[in-house]
Amino acid sequence: MSMKYETVSENRSFGGTQGVYSHQSEATGTKMTFGLFLPEEAQYGRVPVLWYLSGLTCTHENAMTKAGAQEWAAEAGMALVFPDTSPRGEGVADDEAYDLGQGAGFYVDATQDPWKPHFKMWHYVTHELPELVSDNFAIDRDSMGITGHSMGGHGALTIAMTMPERYRSVSAFAPIANPTDSDWGRKQLSAYLGDDDTAWAAHDSTRLMEARGYPGEVLIDQGSSDQFLDLLKPEAMAHAMAKRRQPGQFRMQPGYDHSYFFVQTFMPDHVMWHAEQLAR
């Protein structure tokens, strides 16, 4: 039996439909909201899908309205899924800082109080939401790619390298590339997973690149004028890719910062690149 969901809104977009839907999540124990763009081709059969994971402080709405991805997904005949970044609501643990708690789930399954009852974003993104979407909409779970920005780039890379059989393409925009050696990572991973940093390695894309890499190509774009470079640590990932001789591209884009203007600029490259990878 397919999971129930509610339609929040549906709007015509580039010949397809941009929808927003909500459902009660077993993984998080909360109501969750996600965006889903379906191209016109979804009226006639299942289509490939690109998952977009957003960054700190974001909801499902940020990339859905700011990334400009629907035009290119429509051209490629590809669906887009925009999950939320954390559980939310009354009774859900939070923190005064913007980079921990609600809006900052870091795509991990928390094992520590007060986070562990609800912060199960790894399981939500990789298991529960794909099942709901594929059961109720015309997406092809055998043709899935994943991308994301900042914290979401961290999530996309770690998920794809852990589950390469499920995610046949992966890219990232300005990912938090080495969180076990960054203030955007050590704080959150210790809070969610505990002080034993051996448990953190599975959620560090640089360490995963060093240990296993990715069987396909990897595409990463990073702005050279990003105000958070010291927290993102892109040089660690670039070095790990080079040392492993990982197929793909790490592109340092001159003058670009961390904003959605950066994401918009290179979104066409990423969507079309995923379409090409998934077509192989």
Side-chain angles (χ1 to χ4, degrees):
M1 182 180 296
S2 62
M3 288 181 278
K4 295 181 179 179
Y5 70 93
E6 297 178 359
T7 300
V8 178
S9 63
E10 289 183 332
N11 297 95
R12 192 74 166 155
S13 177
F14 295 99
T17 301
Q18 176 60 65
V20 177
Y21 308 96
S22 65
H23 69 109
Q24 187 65 31
S25 167
E26 291 185 5
T28 68
T30 67
K31 189 174 185 178
M32 298 293 289
T33 302
F34 66 95
L36 171 65
F37 172 77
L38 290 173
E40 185 177 8
E41 288 85 346
Q43 298 177 44
Y44 311 108
R46 292 189 177 272
V47 296
V49 58
L50 178 60
W51 292 78
Y52 183 100
L53 306 185
S54 289
L56 289 167
T57 75
C58 292
T59 70
H60 70 281
E61 190 174 22
N62 293 74
M64 188 181 79
T65 59
K66 295 180 180 180
Q70 291 89 341
E71 177 180 2
W72 307 104
E75 185 171 328
M78 177 184 293
L80 300 166
V81 183
F82 305 99
D84 202 348
T85 56
S86 78
R88 301 176 190 273
E90 187 177 352
V92 177
D94 201 7
D95 191 87
E96 292 182 358
Y98 74 95
D99 58 356
L100 185 68
Q102 295 186 37
F106 255 75
Y107 304 102
V108 303
D109 285 347
T111 60
Q112 306 298 305
D113 289 328
W115 314 105
K116 69 180 181 181
H118 301 295
F119 280 73
K120 304 292 185 183
M121 290 304 295
W122 178 280
H123 187 84
Y124 177 71
V125 166
T126 63
H127 291 87
E128 185 178 31
L129 189 55
E131 181 179 341
L132 184 152
V133 173
S134 63
D135 283 353
N136 292 284
F137 301 93
I139 71 159
D140 183 357
R141 283 191 71 179
D142 293 325
S143 188
M144 298 201 308
I146 191 166
T147 188
H149 174 227
S150 193
M151 180 184 72
H154 139 82
L157 290 168
T158 56
I159 287 169
M161 281 189 276
T162 303
M163 302 178 175
E165 73 287 348
R166 183 173 300 178
Y167 299 92
R168 293 174 46 206
S169 60
V170 61
S171 72
F173 300 86
I176 300 174
N178 192 196
T180 62
D181 195 34
S182 169
D183 287 342
W184 271 2
R186 296 186 66 84
K187 170 185 176 180
Q188 294 84 0
L189 294 175
S190 62
Y192 295 140
L193 303 178
D195 293 332
D196 181 1
D197 61 8
T198 60
W200 304 353
H203 299 286
D204 186 309
S205 56
T206 291
R207 293 173 70 173
L208 287 172
M209 179 61 68
E210 292 169 346
R212 65 178 70 179
Y214 182 72
E217 297 182 31
V218 174
L219 174 62
I220 299 174
D221 275 311
Q222 171 65 61
S224 68
S225 296
D226 193 314
Q227 59 271 45
F228 302 115
L229 280 175
D230 290 342
L231 293 165
L232 301 171
K233 298 191 176 295
E235 65 282 355
M237 174 57 76
H239 178 73
M241 288 179 66
K243 185 176 181 180
R244 189 172 185 84
R245 299 176 181 175
Q246 169 68 45
Q249 302 177 61
F250 186 105
R251 309 191 303 191
M252 186 65 73
Q253 302 292 359
Y256 285 90
D257 60 16
H258 200 69
S259 72
Y260 264 94
F261 296 108
F262 158 67
V263 175
Q264 286 176 7
T265 301
F266 299 102
M267 182 58 72
D269 287 359
H270 283 244
V271 172
M272 293 307 177
W273 184 85
H274 280 276
E276 179 181 338
Q277 300 296 312
L278 293 175
R280 292 181 176 178

